[in-house]
């Protein structure tokens, strides 16, 4: 059974937009929502997904390989495409030419891999460890 409301993660560079839409929406409707968020014309937005399978995780190797991503067609319906809830979709914009806007090109998908998380214990100094366990005097009923 398909959910009637989907939340999609639309990624561009280091930014992720959480976009709610209906499973019966077209790709063009999704593009309009994204375009409104970023202040662009929907015609200047292209949405891409991995060719093999839309997932809720990011395969960074596939993102940077041109032949591994497919453009979503404007008339396609999200439910018919098999778009799952919390799916990751990549957005790229049209970059107009310097002299003639029509002679521009689509920007490449540029999604940097996130840096690995540092363990919280490694980040805290000894003084911060001591302060972390101490109760705050200005919190809760103690202030009254």
């Amino acid at each position: 059974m398909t959910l009637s409301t989907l939340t999609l993660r639309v990624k561009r560079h280091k930014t992720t937009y959480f976009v709610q839409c209906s499973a019966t929406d077209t790709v063009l409707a999704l593009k309009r929502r994204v375009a409104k968020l970023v202040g662009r014309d929907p015609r200047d937005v292209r949405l891409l997904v991995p060719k093999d399978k839309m997932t809720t995780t990011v395969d960074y190797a596939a993102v940077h390989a041109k032949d591994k991503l497919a453009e979503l067609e404007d008339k396609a319906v999200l439910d018919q495409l098999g778009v799952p809830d919390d799916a990751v979709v990549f957005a790229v914009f049209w970059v107009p030419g310097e002299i003639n806007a029509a002679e521009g090109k689509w920007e490449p998908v540029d999604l940097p891999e996130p840096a690995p998380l540092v363990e919280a214990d490694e980040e805290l100094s000894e003084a911060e460890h001591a302060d972390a366990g101490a109760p705050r005097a200005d919190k809760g009923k103690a202030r009254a």
Side-chain angles (χ1 to χ4, degrees):
M1 184 174 125
T2 313
L3 296 173
S4 60
T5 302
L6 303 173
T7 300
L8 304 180
R9 290 181 286 154
V10 180
K11 292 182 168 284
R12 179 178 179 267
H13 298 295
K14 292 183 178 182
T15 305
T16 301
Y17 302 96
F18 291 86
V19 182
Q20 284 194 334
C21 53
S22 171
T24 58
D25 283 347
T26 63
V27 171
L28 181 58
L30 176 59
K31 283 172 68 171
R32 286 182 178 139
R33 284 190 179 95
V34 172
K36 186 175 181 180
L37 284 171
V38 297
R40 303 284 297 235
D41 187 292
R43 294 173 293 187
D44 293 340
V45 176
R46 181 180 276 179
L47 299 177
L48 306 164
V49 295
K51 282 185 180 177
D52 24 339
K53 183 180 178 188
M54 276 184 260
T55 65
T56 58
T57 59
V58 178
D59 177 3
Y60 288 94
V63 168
H64 298 295
K66 288 184 180 183
D67 61 336
K68 300 257 182 176
L69 297 175
E71 179 182 359
L72 294 176
E73 296 296 324
D74 287 350
K75 293 180 181 179
V77 177
L78 298 176
D79 188 40
Q80 292 173 350
L81 290 172
V83 177
D85 187 38
D86 200 34
V88 177
V89 178
F90 305 101
V92 294
F93 296 155
W94 177 255
V95 181
E98 290 182 26
I99 298 171
N100 183 357
E103 293 179 1
K105 61 181 180 177
W106 291 101
E107 67 183 5
V109 175
D110 181 21
L111 188 67
E113 279 194 61
L117 295 175
V118 178
E119 290 294 322
D121 290 339
E122 294 175 18
E123 284 186 5
L124 296 177
S125 68
E126 287 181 29
E128 290 172 320
H129 273 292
D131 290 341
R136 290 183 47 185
D138 63 339
K139 194 171 184 182
K141 292 184 180 180
R143 282 189 293 170

